[in-house]
Each structure stands twice: as structure tokens, then as C-alpha cells.
Amino acid sequence: VPKTHYVIGVDLGGQSVKLGVVDTHGAILIRRQVPIDAAQFEEVLSRLIVQQIDALFTEAAALGKEIAGVGMVMPGYMNAARGKLLFAANLPTLSGSDFLDHIRDQVPAKIVFDADCNGAALGEFRYGAGRDIERLVVATVGTGIGGAVVIGGHLLRVVHHISGSLGHIIVDAGGRRCACGARGCLETRASGRALEAMAAKLLKKDERVSGEEINHAAVNGEAWAMRAVRECGWWLGAGIASWCATYAPQQVVIGGGIAALGRSYLEAVRDGLHEVGQPHLTANVEIVPALLGANAGMVGAASMMLHGKE
Ligand SMILES: [Zn+2]
């Protein structure tokens, strides 16, 4: 029996940081989540993360577990050596800073960095819904839309270490301008933000309608909420049709906050895919919810250290 190893996985998002001690099989031994204020200075954020990592080292030691290293993921583009965060829209103070150097210098173990969409994809491929799939796309649909492609067990890295900006393929060329500067991106139609905007419009409301409210109303059969969920899912399916033309995935895993919308949402995604997509490329594509849920990025980050850099 091979020895079980333990590593720390860190998933830094725009609103919180999730950390965990994870074993060789993807099981989470210790987990913690701390809110962050993304407007804080780089020094404050790196200190907070180092403190949290240190606390996990201490907790693991108390259980007699030795930590073999740390894998950390976050949104944004990194340089070629994955040692510098060049740009992260949701972490503005960290863009172009020495954030990764400061963390590496203070963590008492080997550490690797990667993009959060890559972490989630490896997590689902190695331990979750996408196990043993030859051509896999893992999409994370939250405030925005991220995605990564795993082909033959390897992450497809095109530029900036990501498979591409999968949330920014154009699905509605005559539509709205996206935050990224392009027009009609998938993200403007199918993200959590798009869902909230659609719900507010249907309700003729000026204030924000949260994802939780929409989900609750949809579960209770309220027409406006069901329509918003349906449209948002349909557009994601339309986007997946283009991913199918590009990567020919056998399976597409849907994770992120939006997965909480459940079955009717996934049905809408499948309907959009089959209405829009090329029949022979989309007929047999499985659309499945992520198994690791909100932990996918953290578990995937840890697995980068366990399985090598990918
Ligand atoms: Zn865009």
C-alpha cells in the first residue's frame, strides 16, 4: 500500500480564501474558509494567507500528519514561470505585485501556483465527476465564467497557463459589451451576474436580486425565476456548443455557485446545447454537475502538488 501524503490546497477568490489539508485520494482532512476584502493592500492579503497556511501546518502536526507542500490557485493571468500574477480583475491590488513572491518566501514548504479554473478542472478530473474522461471541459459558473480543458489527463495550457478564456467566447455579437471589452461574451448572457440582471429586469426592479432569491423562487415555481434560470442555462448551452466545435469534449462538468440551481437549470443547458450545436458533435456530450462543489479548486490545487505540476 503506497504511503498516504498530505498537502495543503489554497483557493483564493474575490470574496474569501478556502484552505484545506488534503490527502493523496482527494479527501479533505481539515478545512477552513476566511472572508477577504479584495480592496486590501497586497501586504495585508499575503500576511492573512500565510497566517492561515501556518495555522494548518500546526493543526496537521497536532494530528501527526506531515505536510509535503502547498498548491495555491487564484483567478487571473500569471507569467510563464507561474511566479507572478500579471492581472486579476477581481483582485485588483494583487495585479502585477510581488504577492506570489511574498507568499513563497514565508511558507515553510514547496509551493506551486496556478489558475483557479485549472485547479477546479484537475480536481474534477482526478477525484470528481470527470474521472477517466479522455476529453473533458470543466466550467465554473459563478459571478463570471471560467473553464479549463483536460485532454488525455493533461491540462490544455495555451497562453497564461489557461486553456483559453472560455467565458469570453462570443455568443451574442449584437449584444451587450462585456467587462472584458469584447461584445456579446458568454459571460454577459450566462454568468451569475447575467442571471441576476435578467431577474431584476423581469421583476422590473432596480435593486439587486440575489442568486439565492432566484433559486428559492424558482424552486417555488415562480414564473419570473423559472424563466431567468431557463434563459441563463440555455445561453450556457449555446456557449458549450462552441466549446464542442473546438474541443469535442465527451463530457462537460458544470461547477460554481450556479450549479445550486439544480436539475431544471441543467435541462436548460442541455436544451440550449442541442438546439444550437452541430448535431454530430453535441449528440453524445454529457452535461453533468460538479461533484466536488465549492471545494473543487482547493482539492485540485492540492493535487497539483501531489501529482506534479501538470
Ligand atoms: Zn468578455
Side-chain angles (χ1 to χ4, degrees):
V1 180
K3 188 174 180 282
T4 301
H5 292 280
Y6 299 89
V7 289
I8 291 173
V10 184
D11 182 2
L12 173 63
Q15 285 163 358
S16 71
V17 57
K18 300 186 198 87
L19 306 97
V21 173
V22 179
D23 75 11
T24 324
H25 312 288
I28 301 167
L29 196 68
I30 307 169
R31 184 187 187 280
R32 46 170 70 208
Q33 182 165 357
V34 183
I36 65 149
D37 174 1
Q40 285 282 6
F41 289 115
E42 182 278 315
E43 292 81 0
V44 177
L45 290 172
S46 57
R47 200 182 312 132
L48 170 86
I49 289 162
V50 169
Q51 278 169 357
Q52 292 298 323
I53 292 173
D54 281 344
L56 280 182
F57 268 94
T58 307
E59 281 181 58
L63 295 173
K65 313 294 186 197
E66 198 185 319
I67 300 296
V70 181
M72 177 169 170
V73 297
M74 69 206 77
Y77 301 138
M78 286 176 202
N79 70 346
R82 260 183 279 163
K84 198 165 182 81
L85 188 61
L86 303 176
F87 177 73
N90 295 326
L91 299 165
T93 65
L94 307 186
S95 297
S97 74
D98 294 325
F99 178 63
L100 301 186
D101 291 312
H102 290 160
I103 290 179
R104 188 190 299 103
D105 292 348
Q106 294 174 71
V107 167
K110 191 168 179 261
I111 183 163
V112 291
F113 300 107
D114 213 319
D116 54 359
C117 50
N118 289 348
L122 280 182
E124 289 295 333
F125 174 75
R126 287 172 172 160
Y127 311 114
R131 264 173 287 187
D132 301 324
I133 302 290
E134 173 69 19
R135 296 184 307 279
L136 174 72
V137 176
V138 178
T140 305
V141 186
T143 311
I145 298 179
V149 182
V150 181
I151 305 278
H154 296 283
L155 267 170
L156 177 66
R157 296 183 186 273
V158 179
V159 71
H160 297 310
H161 295 288
I162 56 175
S163 304
S165 297
L166 270 65
H168 299 274
I169 57 165
I170 312 298
V171 293
D172 185 19
R176 243 173 306 148
R177 189 67 64 186
C178 179
C180 76
R183 185 155 140 185
C185 294
L186 179 58
E187 208 171 277
T188 68
R189 282 297 191 172
S191 63
R193 210 185 280 127
L195 176 73
E196 292 178 2
M198 207 180 298
K201 201 175 139 195
L202 289 169
L203 282 174
K204 298 186 173 65
K205 265 191 174 177
D206 285 329
E207 69 267 37
R208 177 173 177 251
V209 184
S210 75
E212 294 77 47
E213 286 173 70
I214 299 166
N215 192 11
H216 187 73
V219 168
N220 287 320
E222 290 187 46
W224 64 270
M226 288 166 74
R227 187 171 154 203
V229 168
R230 170 108 204 132
E231 268 191 48
C232 190
W234 187 92
W235 278 105
L236 183 67
I240 292 173
S242 282
W243 298 347
C244 288
T246 315
Y247 307 111
Q250 293 140 320
Q251 189 184 86
V252 178
V253 176
I254 316 281
I258 207 124
L261 294 175
R263 246 182 47 200
S264 59
Y265 172 73
L266 287 176
E267 269 164 35
V269 175
R270 292 185 190 109
D271 288 348
L273 172 66
H274 295 123
E275 258 178 65
V276 169
Q278 197 182 121
H280 94 272
L281 280 179
T282 57
N284 299 316
V285 177
E286 283 182 86
I287 305 287
V288 300
L291 262 186
L292 303 180
N295 293 325
M298 181 185 89
V299 170
S303 85
M304 286 172 183
M305 186 45 88
L306 286 166
H307 294 249
K309 268 187 140 186
E310 267 305 328

